[in-house]
Every structure is written in C-alpha cells, then in structure tokens.
Amino acid sequence: MLLLLIALPLAITSKYLIQLINAALVFLIIVTGMNFVIGFSGQISLAATAFWGIGAYTSALLTTAWGVSFWLALPVAAAFATLFGFVIGFPTLKLKQFYLGIATVGFGEIVALILLNWTSLTNGADGVPGIPKPAIGAYVFDTDFRFYHILLAAAVLLVLVSVRIKNSRFGRGLLAICEDELAAEVAGVPTHWYKMLAFALSAFYGGVAGSLYGHLIGFISPDLFIFRQSIVFLCMFMIGGSGYIAGPIIGATLLTLLPEWMRFLKGYYMAIYGLAVVGLAIGMPTGIMGLVERYLPWLYLWLEPEAELPAAPVRHRAEKG
C-alpha cells in the first residue's frame, strides 16, 4: 500500500485533484493530533485550528523574514506550537468537559485576533505572501505533485507515532483516563500530567500541519484560521471514529473530497452536504470505524494495528462520546 501511495501522482493528471489530496493529508495530521486529546483521553478541545495557525505563521515568518530553511523552520514551528500546548494546557486542563471546550474556543479566538491585529509581526489581514517551497539541493518541491511526497511522508510517520503511543504505557494511561479518570488516578496514573502531554502532542501535530500547509499553498492569512475550521476538524474526527487510529484518516479524506464530489449540485450542495454530515453523525454515532469494527472485524483488525476483538473499551468510549 505504501508503494501504491508513493506512486499515486503518476496515475493522476488533474492538478486540482492532487491539491485536494494534499489538503486531505494536512487535515489528516491535524485530526490525528486531536485523537490524543479527544479520542484517547476523553477531553473536549477545539484548539486545533489555533495550533495549526501558530505553526503556519511561525514557519512562514521564519522563512520569509529571516531566511531560515524550511527544514529548520518546520521543527521550530512544531516546537513553538507544542510550547503553547503546554502553556495553555496547564491551567485549562483543570477544567472539565464543556468548560474545557469553551476555554479552548476562547484560546482559538485570541490567536485569531492576534494574527489579524498584530500587523507589525503578522502583516495583519494582508497575510504572509511568498512563502518559499522546500528544496533538497537543486531539487525544489515547487509543484503539488512533488510536495505530495513530503506530506505523505509526514502523515505516515505521524500516524505510526500515534500507533506506538496508543499501545505504550502512556497511551494505556490516556485510555484509562477516558474510561474513568478517578479510577485511573487511584491506580497511580498521573492524570493531570498525562492530559497535559496529550494536549502538547495535539499541538505538535497541529504545528507540523501548519508549517506544511503554509509552504504548500505559499500564502497564509488570518481568515484561514478561524473557529469555523475547528468545527470542520471536529466533524472529520467524529465521522471517522473517535479513539481509532484509522478514524482521522477516513474522516479527513471523506470530508475533504465529499464537498468537491457534490459541486455539480451548484447552489444546493452546501445544504445537502450539511444534511449528509448530520445523517452520518446520527446514523453512525461511533463513526465509520465503529461500524467497521462491529460488522467487518477482519477489516477492523487490518486498519487498527495491534487491536484485539472484542474491543469493548474502544466501543464503549465511542458510544459514550
């Protein structure tokens, strides 16, 4: 499958289609990061767009204003977003449930206002143009077909990292917190520290995605990183399946391509798209992966590395969510 994914651009002639696939890979990384907070530890967070914006602006400003290489700007942007994840996570994770969600919404709005109004740093509503493309020697990733391989490598690597984390001691601690935080704390899990690390991991993934996205499109502006986009990411996450490794992959791909498949409906497509999302949420409360786990166990075992059937904790967590 990895070889097929690497060779995929050879079978695609449409530049627009490869642009959609690239966008789906960026969103896949963001939603995979959300899995640490919402899917594994059972917390509510709508700060993904804020971390995405922090990563994008950090990388863009480093490369355009200070001439830093993309390969250095990418880890710096991810680290800067992770720092904000720790700073915001420490006080807000003392909150519970919807209060935590409201606090993360406030953080996202603060970031959006800073990006819009700190004109001396971010250039305000005019955004940051001319973001350079990455290069290795004389080979420049200056087309969507070339940039696809950077995005694919980042997405595969970060998904594999999430697999390893989920099956580690830390990951099992997060799952225990999701099931019953008090019981996990009594059993010796440092719940507040684990939740803060989950928040930081989510921020790291958002920072990586932001850096990649900025260099992919070559221009960023504050109107890209608004609260509405957080709702889109949340829909991707829930429709794919909360707590599953493959959930973000399915959700991000489906909700990136679905609106484009429905363009032929013209003025009606947004209404039908909204109804389709509502129908998926009502008809599949555990997400697409929940249905796969229940009715296609062989496919579930293939999509979820090191999973075992029956996977009662995952199913119960998704249904409770």
Side-chain angles (χ1 to χ4, degrees):
M1 176 167 284
L2 184 59
L3 291 175
L4 289 175
L5 288 173
I6 293 172
L8 181 62
L10 300 177
I12 298 176
T13 57
S14 169
K15 182 179 178 181
Y16 181 62
L17 180 57
I18 198 69
Q19 288 175 344
L20 289 178
I21 294 173
N22 286 345
L25 288 171
V26 172
F27 298 153
L28 183 161
I29 294 172
I30 297 171
V31 181
T32 299
M34 293 173 64
N35 218 1
F36 293 111
V37 177
I38 306 177
F40 297 166
S41 61
Q43 310 302 306
I44 298 176
S45 173
L46 293 170
T49 302
F51 298 128
W52 182 38
I54 291 170
Y57 267 87
T58 301
S59 187
L61 293 173
L62 285 173
T63 52
T64 57
W66 289 284
V68 177
S69 166
F70 163 79
W71 305 108
L72 178 60
L74 173 62
V76 171
F80 195 56
T82 304
L83 177 63
F84 271 91
F86 275 113
V87 171
I88 299 302
F90 183 76
T92 56
L93 285 177
K94 294 181 180 180
L95 303 173
K96 303 292 183 182
Q97 300 299 325
F98 297 104
Y99 299 103
L100 174 60
I102 292 170
T104 57
V105 170
F107 169 65
E109 290 299 312
I110 291 171
V111 171
L113 288 172
I114 290 174
L115 296 180
L116 179 63
N117 294 293
W118 195 351
T119 54
S120 61
L121 177 66
T122 66
N123 207 25
D126 293 333
V128 182
I131 303 173
K133 300 294 184 181
I136 300 177
Y139 187 83
V140 182
F141 296 87
D142 54 355
T143 67
D144 293 300
F145 292 92
R146 291 183 176 184
F147 209 103
Y148 165 82
H149 291 101
I150 294 180
L151 294 172
L152 178 64
V156 170
L157 176 62
L158 292 175
V159 168
L160 290 177
V161 168
S162 72
V163 172
R164 298 302 300 164
I165 289 176
K166 182 179 180 180
N167 295 305
S168 68
R169 180 184 179 89
F170 170 63
R172 291 193 296 270
L174 291 179
L175 295 175
I177 292 171
C178 182
E179 292 297 328
D180 192 322
E181 185 172 344
L182 180 60
E185 192 165 359
V186 170
V189 176
T191 55
H192 185 70
W193 176 241
Y194 271 31
K195 289 191 293 182
M196 191 164 62
L197 282 177
F199 215 90
L201 278 170
S202 178
F204 175 83
Y205 275 58
V208 171
S211 176
L212 292 170
Y213 186 76
H215 291 273
L216 169 66
I217 64 175
F219 171 80
I220 56 173
S221 60
D223 59 346
L224 293 172
F225 310 106
I226 56 178
F227 174 70
R228 182 177 63 186
Q229 193 63 44
S230 293
I231 301 301
V232 174
F233 292 150
L234 185 62
C235 289
M236 292 178 178
F237 177 78
M238 298 308 299
I239 288 173
S242 175
Y244 299 94
I245 296 296
I249 301 173
I250 295 172
T253 304
L254 180 63
L255 289 195
T256 301
L257 299 179
L258 184 60
E260 306 307 320
W261 292 340
M262 301 176 66
R263 290 287 183 184
F264 70 94
L265 298 172
K266 297 182 180 179
Y268 300 100
Y269 99 94
M270 281 303 296
I272 297 175
Y273 170 72
L275 289 174
V277 172
V278 171
L280 287 171
I282 294 174
M284 298 184 298
T286 58
I288 293 173
M289 279 302 299
L291 290 183
V292 171
E293 178 190 7
R294 182 167 297 178
Y295 298 112
L296 298 172
W298 59 271
L299 180 59
Y300 168 75
L301 289 174
W302 183 69
L303 291 171
E304 292 292 307
E306 301 185 30
E308 296 180 359
L309 288 175
V314 175
R315 184 180 296 121
H316 292 167
R317 180 169 66 255
E319 289 174 351
K320 183 172 66 175

Short mmCIF file of all heavy atoms in Angstrom, two decimals, residues 1 17 21 53 66 78 96 117 120 123 128 149 177 180 195 216 230 236 241 266 285 316:
data_model
loop_
_atom_site.label_atom_id
_atom_site.label_comp_id
_atom_site.label_asym_id
_atom_site.label_seq_id
_atom_site.Cartn_x
_atom_site.Cartn_y
_atom_site.Cartn_z
N MET A 1 0.82 -1.20 0.00
CA MET A 1 0.00 0.00 0.00
C MET A 1 0.87 1.26 0.00
O MET A 1 0.54 2.26 -0.67
CB MET A 1 -0.94 0.01 1.21
CG MET A 1 -1.77 1.29 1.31
SD MET A 1 -3.12 1.16 2.47
CE MET A 1 -4.26 0.18 1.50
N LEU A 17 -7.14 17.70 -8.44
CA LEU A 17 -7.32 16.50 -7.61
C LEU A 17 -6.13 16.31 -6.68
O LEU A 17 -6.31 15.97 -5.50
CB LEU A 17 -7.50 15.27 -8.49
CG LEU A 17 -7.70 13.94 -7.76
CD1 LEU A 17 -8.90 14.02 -6.81
CD2 LEU A 17 -7.89 12.80 -8.75
N ILE A 21 -6.00 16.10 -2.53
CA ILE A 21 -5.34 15.03 -1.79
C ILE A 21 -4.31 15.62 -0.82
O ILE A 21 -4.19 15.17 0.33
CB ILE A 21 -4.68 14.04 -2.76
CG1 ILE A 21 -5.76 13.31 -3.57
CG2 ILE A 21 -3.81 13.04 -2.01
CD1 ILE A 21 -5.21 12.43 -4.67
N GLY A 53 -2.64 27.42 13.07
CA GLY A 53 -2.26 28.78 12.69
C GLY A 53 -0.91 29.19 13.27
O GLY A 53 -0.10 29.84 12.58
N TRP A 66 13.29 36.00 7.92
CA TRP A 66 14.64 35.75 8.42
C TRP A 66 15.44 34.79 7.55
O TRP A 66 16.59 34.47 7.86
CB TRP A 66 14.57 35.22 9.85
CG TRP A 66 14.16 36.27 10.83
CD1 TRP A 66 14.94 37.28 11.33
CD2 TRP A 66 12.88 36.43 11.43
NE1 TRP A 66 14.20 38.06 12.20
CE2 TRP A 66 12.93 37.56 12.29
CE3 TRP A 66 11.67 35.74 11.33
CZ2 TRP A 66 11.84 38.00 13.01
CZ3 TRP A 66 10.57 36.18 12.06
CH2 TRP A 66 10.68 37.31 12.89
N ALA A 78 6.80 23.42 14.95
CA ALA A 78 6.17 22.37 15.75
C ALA A 78 6.48 22.55 17.23
O ALA A 78 5.61 22.39 18.09
CB ALA A 78 6.64 21.00 15.26
N LYS A 96 -13.23 20.78 33.31
CA LYS A 96 -13.81 19.51 32.91
C LYS A 96 -14.83 19.71 31.80
O LYS A 96 -15.50 20.74 31.72
CB LYS A 96 -14.51 18.83 34.11
CG LYS A 96 -13.62 18.61 35.32
CD LYS A 96 -12.55 17.57 35.06
CE LYS A 96 -11.73 17.31 36.33
NZ LYS A 96 -10.64 16.35 36.09
N ASN A 117 -4.51 41.38 14.12
CA ASN A 117 -4.25 42.74 14.59
C ASN A 117 -2.78 43.06 14.88
O ASN A 117 -2.43 44.24 14.96
CB ASN A 117 -5.08 43.01 15.85
CG ASN A 117 -6.57 43.02 15.56
OD1 ASN A 117 -7.08 43.88 14.86
ND2 ASN A 117 -7.27 42.02 16.09
N SER A 120 2.48 44.49 12.75
CA SER A 120 3.93 44.64 12.63
C SER A 120 4.63 43.29 12.54
O SER A 120 5.73 43.18 11.99
CB SER A 120 4.47 45.43 13.82
OG SER A 120 4.21 44.74 15.04
N ASN A 123 1.58 40.96 9.57
CA ASN A 123 1.12 41.67 8.37
C ASN A 123 -0.40 41.75 8.31
O ASN A 123 -0.98 42.06 7.26
CB ASN A 123 1.66 41.02 7.09
CG ASN A 123 1.78 42.01 5.95
OD1 ASN A 123 1.92 43.22 6.17
ND2 ASN A 123 1.69 41.52 4.73
N VAL A 128 0.73 36.64 4.82
CA VAL A 128 2.16 36.46 4.53
C VAL A 128 2.27 35.81 3.15
O VAL A 128 2.01 34.61 3.00
CB VAL A 128 2.85 35.58 5.58
CG1 VAL A 128 4.34 35.45 5.27
CG2 VAL A 128 2.64 36.16 6.98
N HIS A 149 4.77 14.15 -1.82
CA HIS A 149 5.61 13.14 -1.16
C HIS A 149 6.09 13.62 0.21
O HIS A 149 6.27 12.80 1.13
CB HIS A 149 6.79 12.78 -2.06
CG HIS A 149 6.38 12.03 -3.30
ND1 HIS A 149 6.26 12.64 -4.53
CD2 HIS A 149 6.01 10.74 -3.48
CE1 HIS A 149 5.86 11.74 -5.41
NE2 HIS A 149 5.71 10.59 -4.81
N ILE A 177 -7.82 7.11 31.60
CA ILE A 177 -8.40 8.40 31.98
C ILE A 177 -9.73 8.61 31.27
O ILE A 177 -10.70 9.11 31.86
CB ILE A 177 -7.42 9.55 31.63
CG1 ILE A 177 -6.19 9.47 32.53
CG2 ILE A 177 -8.10 10.91 31.78
CD1 ILE A 177 -5.08 10.43 32.13
N ASP A 180 -12.39 6.22 33.07
CA ASP A 180 -12.76 6.68 34.42
C ASP A 180 -11.55 7.37 35.02
O ASP A 180 -10.60 6.72 35.47
CB ASP A 180 -13.19 5.49 35.29
CG ASP A 180 -13.84 5.94 36.59
OD1 ASP A 180 -13.39 6.94 37.17
OD2 ASP A 180 -14.82 5.30 37.01
N LYS A 195 -2.77 14.30 30.76
CA LYS A 195 -3.66 15.12 29.94
C LYS A 195 -2.90 16.29 29.33
O LYS A 195 -3.14 16.67 28.18
CB LYS A 195 -4.84 15.61 30.78
CG LYS A 195 -5.84 14.53 31.14
CD LYS A 195 -7.11 15.09 31.74
CE LYS A 195 -6.87 15.74 33.08
NZ LYS A 195 -8.14 16.25 33.68
N LEU A 216 2.95 24.71 1.38
CA LEU A 216 2.23 24.08 0.27
C LEU A 216 1.54 25.13 -0.59
O LEU A 216 1.67 25.12 -1.82
CB LEU A 216 1.20 23.08 0.82
CG LEU A 216 0.19 22.53 -0.18
CD1 LEU A 216 0.88 21.66 -1.23
CD2 LEU A 216 -0.90 21.71 0.54
N SER A 230 -12.34 24.82 13.06
CA SER A 230 -12.29 23.86 14.16
C SER A 230 -13.50 22.93 14.14
O SER A 230 -13.39 21.74 14.46
CB SER A 230 -12.23 24.59 15.50
OG SER A 230 -11.01 25.28 15.66
N MET A 236 -14.72 15.92 10.97
CA MET A 236 -13.84 14.89 10.41
C MET A 236 -13.52 13.84 11.46
O MET A 236 -13.54 12.63 11.19
CB MET A 236 -12.54 15.52 9.90
CG MET A 236 -12.69 16.42 8.70
SD MET A 236 -11.09 17.15 8.25
CE MET A 236 -11.55 18.08 6.79
N GLY A 241 -14.32 8.37 13.44
CA GLY A 241 -14.42 7.48 14.60
C GLY A 241 -13.46 7.91 15.69
O GLY A 241 -12.25 7.96 15.48
N LYS A 266 -24.44 22.57 -7.49
CA LYS A 266 -24.40 24.04 -7.51
C LYS A 266 -24.90 24.63 -6.20
O LYS A 266 -24.37 24.34 -5.14
CB LYS A 266 -25.20 24.55 -8.71
CG LYS A 266 -24.60 24.10 -10.05
CD LYS A 266 -25.37 24.66 -11.21
CE LYS A 266 -24.74 24.21 -12.52
NZ LYS A 266 -25.47 24.71 -13.70
N PRO A 285 -23.16 6.92 15.32
CA PRO A 285 -22.63 7.66 16.48
C PRO A 285 -21.21 7.24 16.86
O PRO A 285 -20.50 8.02 17.50
CB PRO A 285 -23.62 7.33 17.60
CG PRO A 285 -24.29 6.06 17.17
CD PRO A 285 -24.34 6.12 15.68
N HIS A 316 -17.15 1.22 23.82
CA HIS A 316 -17.86 1.94 24.88
C HIS A 316 -17.47 3.41 24.90
O HIS A 316 -18.32 4.26 25.11
CB HIS A 316 -17.55 1.29 26.23
CG HIS A 316 -18.13 -0.08 26.37
ND1 HIS A 316 -17.78 -0.94 27.38
CD2 HIS A 316 -19.01 -0.76 25.60
CE1 HIS A 316 -18.43 -2.09 27.24
NE2 HIS A 316 -19.17 -1.99 26.16
#
